[in-house]
Short mmCIF file of all heavy atoms in Angstrom, two decimals:
data_model
loop_
_atom_site.label_atom_id
_atom_site.label_comp_id
_atom_site.label_asym_id
_atom_site.label_seq_id
_atom_site.Cartn_x
_atom_site.Cartn_y
_atom_site.Cartn_z
N GLU A 10 -13.64 4.79 15.96
CA GLU A 10 -13.34 5.17 17.37
C GLU A 10 -12.61 4.17 18.19
O GLU A 10 -12.03 4.46 19.16
CB GLU A 10 -14.69 5.46 18.14
CG GLU A 10 -15.48 6.73 17.56
CD GLU A 10 -16.24 6.36 16.24
OE1 GLU A 10 -16.30 5.14 15.90
OE2 GLU A 10 -16.59 7.31 15.57
N GLU A 11 -12.55 2.94 17.65
CA GLU A 11 -11.78 1.85 18.41
C GLU A 11 -10.28 2.03 18.30
O GLU A 11 -9.52 1.33 19.02
CB GLU A 11 -12.30 0.56 17.99
CG GLU A 11 -13.69 0.21 18.35
CD GLU A 11 -14.04 -1.25 17.92
OE1 GLU A 11 -13.39 -2.19 18.48
OE2 GLU A 11 -14.97 -1.40 17.11
N GLN A 12 -9.86 2.81 17.28
CA GLN A 12 -8.42 3.09 17.08
C GLN A 12 -7.62 1.86 16.78
O GLN A 12 -6.55 1.61 17.32
CB GLN A 12 -7.85 3.93 18.15
CG GLN A 12 -8.56 5.28 18.35
CD GLN A 12 -7.87 6.10 19.45
OE1 GLN A 12 -7.09 5.60 20.29
NE2 GLN A 12 -8.12 7.38 19.40
N LYS A 13 -8.15 0.83 15.97
CA LYS A 13 -7.47 -0.39 15.65
C LYS A 13 -6.83 -0.24 14.31
O LYS A 13 -6.28 -1.29 13.77
CB LYS A 13 -8.44 -1.54 15.73
CG LYS A 13 -8.89 -1.87 17.11
CD LYS A 13 -9.65 -3.21 17.16
CE LYS A 13 -10.02 -3.46 18.62
NZ LYS A 13 -10.83 -4.80 18.73
N THR A 14 -6.86 0.91 13.68
CA THR A 14 -6.27 1.09 12.33
C THR A 14 -4.79 0.71 12.40
O THR A 14 -4.06 0.91 13.37
CB THR A 14 -6.40 2.60 11.92
OG1 THR A 14 -7.71 2.99 11.96
CG2 THR A 14 -5.77 2.86 10.58
N PHE A 15 -4.29 0.16 11.22
CA PHE A 15 -2.91 -0.05 11.14
C PHE A 15 -2.19 1.28 10.57
O PHE A 15 -2.30 1.54 9.41
CB PHE A 15 -2.66 -1.14 10.08
CG PHE A 15 -1.16 -1.65 10.02
CD1 PHE A 15 -0.46 -2.01 11.10
CD2 PHE A 15 -0.60 -1.69 8.77
CE1 PHE A 15 0.86 -2.36 11.06
CE2 PHE A 15 0.77 -2.10 8.69
CZ PHE A 15 1.48 -2.42 9.77
N PHE A 16 -1.62 1.96 11.49
CA PHE A 16 -1.08 3.26 11.13
C PHE A 16 0.39 2.97 10.57
O PHE A 16 1.42 3.20 11.25
CB PHE A 16 -1.05 4.14 12.39
CG PHE A 16 -2.37 4.56 12.77
CD1 PHE A 16 -2.94 4.09 13.89
CD2 PHE A 16 -2.99 5.58 11.95
CE1 PHE A 16 -4.22 4.57 14.27
CE2 PHE A 16 -4.35 5.98 12.38
CZ PHE A 16 -4.95 5.47 13.52
N HIS A 17 0.44 2.70 9.33
CA HIS A 17 1.68 2.46 8.60
C HIS A 17 1.48 2.76 7.14
O HIS A 17 0.39 2.48 6.64
CB HIS A 17 2.17 1.03 8.88
CG HIS A 17 3.58 0.77 8.35
ND1 HIS A 17 4.59 0.61 9.17
CD2 HIS A 17 4.01 0.64 7.14
CE1 HIS A 17 5.73 0.47 8.40
NE2 HIS A 17 5.41 0.41 7.16
N GLY A 18 2.41 3.27 6.51
CA GLY A 18 2.38 3.52 5.06
C GLY A 18 3.65 4.15 4.53
O GLY A 18 4.44 4.63 5.23
N HIS A 19 3.74 4.02 3.18
CA HIS A 19 4.87 4.65 2.50
C HIS A 19 4.36 5.59 1.38
O HIS A 19 3.35 5.35 0.85
CB HIS A 19 5.71 3.53 1.88
CG HIS A 19 6.34 2.59 2.92
ND1 HIS A 19 7.60 2.72 3.42
CD2 HIS A 19 5.80 1.55 3.52
CE1 HIS A 19 7.83 1.79 4.30
NE2 HIS A 19 6.80 1.00 4.34
N SER A 20 5.16 6.58 1.12
CA SER A 20 4.72 7.61 0.07
C SER A 20 4.37 6.95 -1.22
O SER A 20 3.50 7.31 -1.83
CB SER A 20 5.86 8.61 -0.01
OG SER A 20 6.09 9.39 1.11
N PHE A 21 5.22 5.89 -1.62
CA PHE A 21 4.95 5.35 -2.90
C PHE A 21 4.25 3.99 -2.74
O PHE A 21 4.38 3.20 -3.75
CB PHE A 21 6.32 5.11 -3.59
CG PHE A 21 6.92 6.39 -4.23
CD1 PHE A 21 7.76 7.28 -3.51
CD2 PHE A 21 6.50 6.80 -5.53
CE1 PHE A 21 8.30 8.38 -4.13
CE2 PHE A 21 7.00 7.94 -6.07
CZ PHE A 21 7.86 8.74 -5.35
N THR A 22 3.61 3.73 -1.75
CA THR A 22 2.85 2.50 -1.52
C THR A 22 1.91 2.27 -2.73
O THR A 22 1.10 3.16 -3.04
CB THR A 22 1.95 2.54 -0.24
OG1 THR A 22 2.87 2.55 0.88
CG2 THR A 22 1.05 1.42 -0.19
N GLY A 23 1.88 1.11 -3.35
CA GLY A 23 1.03 0.83 -4.40
C GLY A 23 1.29 1.61 -5.76
O GLY A 23 0.28 1.85 -6.53
N ASN A 24 2.51 2.02 -5.94
CA ASN A 24 2.85 2.89 -7.13
C ASN A 24 2.24 2.23 -8.44
O ASN A 24 2.55 1.11 -8.68
CB ASN A 24 4.37 3.02 -7.18
CG ASN A 24 4.71 3.72 -8.48
OD1 ASN A 24 5.16 3.14 -9.45
ND2 ASN A 24 4.51 5.09 -8.58
N PRO A 25 1.49 2.99 -9.19
CA PRO A 25 0.84 2.41 -10.32
C PRO A 25 1.80 1.92 -11.37
O PRO A 25 1.55 0.90 -11.98
CB PRO A 25 -0.01 3.57 -10.90
CG PRO A 25 -0.18 4.45 -9.74
CD PRO A 25 0.96 4.39 -8.84
N VAL A 26 2.91 2.53 -11.61
CA VAL A 26 3.87 2.12 -12.57
C VAL A 26 4.50 0.73 -12.15
O VAL A 26 4.55 -0.18 -12.90
CB VAL A 26 5.01 3.17 -12.83
CG1 VAL A 26 5.98 2.72 -13.85
CG2 VAL A 26 4.33 4.48 -13.32
N GLY A 27 4.89 0.67 -10.89
CA GLY A 27 5.39 -0.54 -10.39
C GLY A 27 4.44 -1.69 -10.41
O GLY A 27 4.72 -2.78 -10.84
N CYS A 28 3.21 -1.46 -10.03
CA CYS A 28 2.22 -2.49 -10.09
C CYS A 28 1.80 -2.89 -11.49
O CYS A 28 1.57 -4.05 -11.77
CB CYS A 28 0.88 -1.97 -9.38
SG CYS A 28 1.03 -1.76 -7.61
N ALA A 29 1.94 -2.00 -12.46
CA ALA A 29 1.66 -2.33 -13.84
C ALA A 29 2.72 -3.23 -14.43
O ALA A 29 2.34 -4.27 -15.07
CB ALA A 29 1.62 -1.05 -14.69
N VAL A 30 3.95 -2.98 -14.08
CA VAL A 30 4.94 -3.89 -14.56
C VAL A 30 4.96 -5.27 -13.85
O VAL A 30 5.25 -6.29 -14.39
CB VAL A 30 6.30 -3.23 -14.53
CG1 VAL A 30 6.98 -3.19 -13.15
CG2 VAL A 30 7.34 -3.93 -15.50
N ALA A 31 4.60 -5.22 -12.50
CA ALA A 31 4.46 -6.51 -11.82
C ALA A 31 3.37 -7.35 -12.45
O ALA A 31 3.50 -8.56 -12.56
CB ALA A 31 4.06 -6.18 -10.36
N LEU A 32 2.23 -6.70 -12.87
CA LEU A 32 1.14 -7.49 -13.47
C LEU A 32 1.64 -8.14 -14.76
O LEU A 32 1.30 -9.33 -15.03
CB LEU A 32 -0.03 -6.58 -13.78
CG LEU A 32 -1.00 -6.28 -12.66
CD1 LEU A 32 -1.85 -5.09 -12.96
CD2 LEU A 32 -1.80 -7.50 -12.33
N GLU A 33 2.38 -7.38 -15.56
CA GLU A 33 2.88 -7.93 -16.84
C GLU A 33 3.92 -9.08 -16.51
O GLU A 33 3.96 -10.03 -17.25
CB GLU A 33 3.53 -6.91 -17.67
CG GLU A 33 4.05 -7.30 -19.00
CD GLU A 33 2.95 -8.00 -19.95
OE1 GLU A 33 1.83 -7.77 -19.66
OE2 GLU A 33 3.34 -8.68 -20.89
N SER A 34 4.79 -8.87 -15.49
CA SER A 34 5.74 -9.87 -15.16
C SER A 34 4.99 -11.16 -14.77
O SER A 34 5.43 -12.29 -15.19
CB SER A 34 6.59 -9.43 -13.94
OG SER A 34 7.51 -10.46 -13.62
N LEU A 35 3.89 -11.08 -13.99
CA LEU A 35 3.23 -12.28 -13.64
C LEU A 35 2.55 -12.90 -14.80
O LEU A 35 2.49 -14.17 -14.97
CB LEU A 35 2.10 -11.91 -12.62
CG LEU A 35 2.56 -11.49 -11.21
CD1 LEU A 35 1.45 -11.10 -10.34
CD2 LEU A 35 3.39 -12.60 -10.53
#
């Protein structure tokens, strides 16, 4: 009810394929 949420996002936020290859790169 305090409405302090961060109202921002992208359709592909945290894409699993991108995150998987990032993990392997690291």
Side-chain angles (χ1 to χ4, degrees):
E10 293 77 13
E11 293 184 62
Q12 297 185 342
K13 291 186 176 181
T14 302
F15 186 54
F16 289 108
H17 188 104
H19 297 265
S20 298
F21 282 93
T22 293
N24 172 257
V26 180
C28 290
V30 75
L32 279 164
E33 182 61 17
S34 177
L35 292 177

